[in-house]
């Protein structure tokens, strides 16, 4: 079964917690056990699984990326000023699988599924879910 | 089919080769061909596939991460001194799929499946396997 | 269903677009909806999904990696001068899943599947595809 999550972002760099949306789609699918592939259909965004309780973690992560992969120094920026966003997306990745157990996503206590915007704000970011039974 | 690998770690940063454990679980599953999803249920650890023959490779990798993502400089450290571990986990990733062929994992000659501890020592680290037939 | 893509590389560091090869194998499989796991069977190479229209993006990505993970400074280099390639492979990853919809890979408009060589030139690089129906 496939389904979509659509989100809009408000800043150039922003982390958006989509755990509840993925949870809802997995429950709707009826799949008891298996995996859910989470695929970001953009080359200037990414997907991570991490803690999202302390908002400082987002600041730390975005700050780390800004320092290590700064904006405005890339050859690609002649065409489009998002060379940094493409590198961030390649390094972090835009496809992830999470396990499904008892018709729910089976994350660790502190884990959340987090969409990473690196070239926002964008009105239409699309995340494609593919839910597979084992 | 789902199964678990439980490990304990002895150092703050440590690489633990779990290839044999994954191999064993895949054989037990009876699945002839497909994929095995390896999911680390923690936000301060990660999973990689790489060479693990030369012990210097572990030192190189941990040393690289320590230098580029140092401990003790993050906003999150006010709550818990593991801001670096969360960033390492997000950058490397905590979910991986490996192919299964002839009821065995199908890695390249030098590839090993390696759990990465970034906030140890920990008595109970849990890795969830989901084995899917194609 | 499993299938292979074989490629040869000409430089030490090189990005090779394999989107068309993956597309072809997915069509051949007959699988209507599901995922395709793309697994690089080497520990000094990796796989990404990113834009590949502007050739400057490749230069930016390879240049970034050369600067941040330079060659020739690793303990492993005593045995084999590719310590940097192993670290790049671990950081980026060698396994990815892409969604399949209507018997075709379902990428975003600008996304391409790109093999990353970090220790070439190599005559025989092998990428294993596992195609799974949902």
């Amino acid at each position: 079964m496939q389904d979509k999550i659509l989100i809009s972002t408000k800043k150039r760099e922003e982390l958006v917690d989509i755990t509840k949306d993925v949870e809802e789609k997995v429950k709707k699918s009826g799949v008891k056990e298996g995996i859910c592939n989470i695929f970001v259909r953009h080359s200037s965004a990414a997907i991570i699984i991490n803690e999202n309780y302390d908002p400082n973690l987002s600041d730390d992560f975005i700050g780390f990326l800004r320092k290590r992969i700064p904006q405005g120094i890339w050859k690609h920026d002649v065409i489009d000023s998002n060379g940094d966003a493409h590198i961030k997306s390649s390094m972090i990745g835009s496809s992830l699988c999470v396990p499904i157990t008892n018709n729910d996503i089976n994350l660790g206590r502190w884990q959340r599924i987090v969409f990473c915007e690196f070239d926002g704000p964008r009105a239409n970011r699309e995340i494609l879910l593919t839910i597979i039974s084992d």
Side-chain angles (χ1 to χ4, degrees), chain A residues 68-116:
Chain A
R68 294 300 185 187
I69 310 172
Q71 195 185 0
I73 62 166
W74 310 101
K75 287 186 182 182
H76 178 64
D77 293 359
V78 176
I79 292 176
D80 195 359
S81 60
N82 65 357
D84 64 308
H86 289 293
I87 295 175
K88 288 168 193 166
S89 174
S90 292
M91 290 305 296
I92 297 165
S94 50
S95 179
L96 259 186
C97 293
V98 294
I100 299 169
T101 310
N102 299 325
N103 189 225
D104 202 354
I105 50 173
N106 191 347
L107 304 178
R109 185 181 172 191
W110 295 100
Q111 289 181 311
R112 306 290 292 177
I113 304 166
V114 181
F115 174 83
C116 306

Side-chain angles (χ1 to χ4, degrees), chain A residues 112-132:
Chain A
R112 306 290 292 177
I113 304 166
V114 181
F115 174 83
C116 306
E117 174 64 83
F118 297 129
D119 192 32
R122 299 275 189 128
N124 298 297
R125 288 302 209 179
E126 191 183 315
I127 300 152
L128 181 61
L129 305 183
T130 306
I131 299 168
I132 293 179

Side-chain angles (χ1 to χ4, degrees), chain A residues 2-131:
Chain A
Q2 286 186 325
D3 212 327
K4 278 178 196 176
I5 295 169
L6 300 172
I7 57 174
S8 61
T9 56
K10 286 162 199 157
K11 299 182 194 168
R12 183 167 197 272
E13 286 129 10
E14 186 181 346
L15 303 191
V16 183
D17 193 320
I18 60 165
T19 315
K20 282 190 180 170
D21 306 88
V22 178
E23 227 169 66
E24 199 181 280
K25 302 291 190 185
V26 165
K27 281 178 181 166
K28 204 179 93 184
S29 77
V31 168
K32 299 271 185 240
E33 196 179 280
I35 56 169
C36 175
N37 177 255
I38 303 162
F39 188 81
V40 171
R41 294 181 76 249
H42 307 279
S43 55
S44 56
I47 189 89
I48 58 167
I49 292 169
N50 212 284
E51 189 184 320
N52 195 34
Y53 182 74
D54 173 17
N56 280 331
L57 275 172
S58 295
D59 289 355
D60 283 337
F61 190 54
I62 289 172
F64 164 77
L65 291 168
R66 272 190 197 149
K67 190 180 167 190
R68 294 300 185 187
I69 310 172
Q71 195 185 0
I73 62 166
W74 310 101
K75 287 186 182 182
H76 178 64
D77 293 359
V78 176
I79 292 176
D80 195 359
S81 60
N82 65 357
D84 64 308
H86 289 293
I87 295 175
K88 288 168 193 166
S89 174
S90 292
M91 290 305 296
I92 297 165
S94 50
S95 179
L96 259 186
C97 293
V98 294
I100 299 169
T101 310
N102 299 325
N103 189 225
D104 202 354
I105 50 173
N106 191 347
L107 304 178
R109 185 181 172 191
W110 295 100
Q111 289 181 311
R112 306 290 292 177
I113 304 166
V114 181
F115 174 83
C116 306
E117 174 64 83
F118 297 129
D119 192 32
R122 299 275 189 128
N124 298 297
R125 288 302 209 179
E126 191 183 315
I127 300 152
L128 181 61
L129 305 183
T130 306
I131 299 168

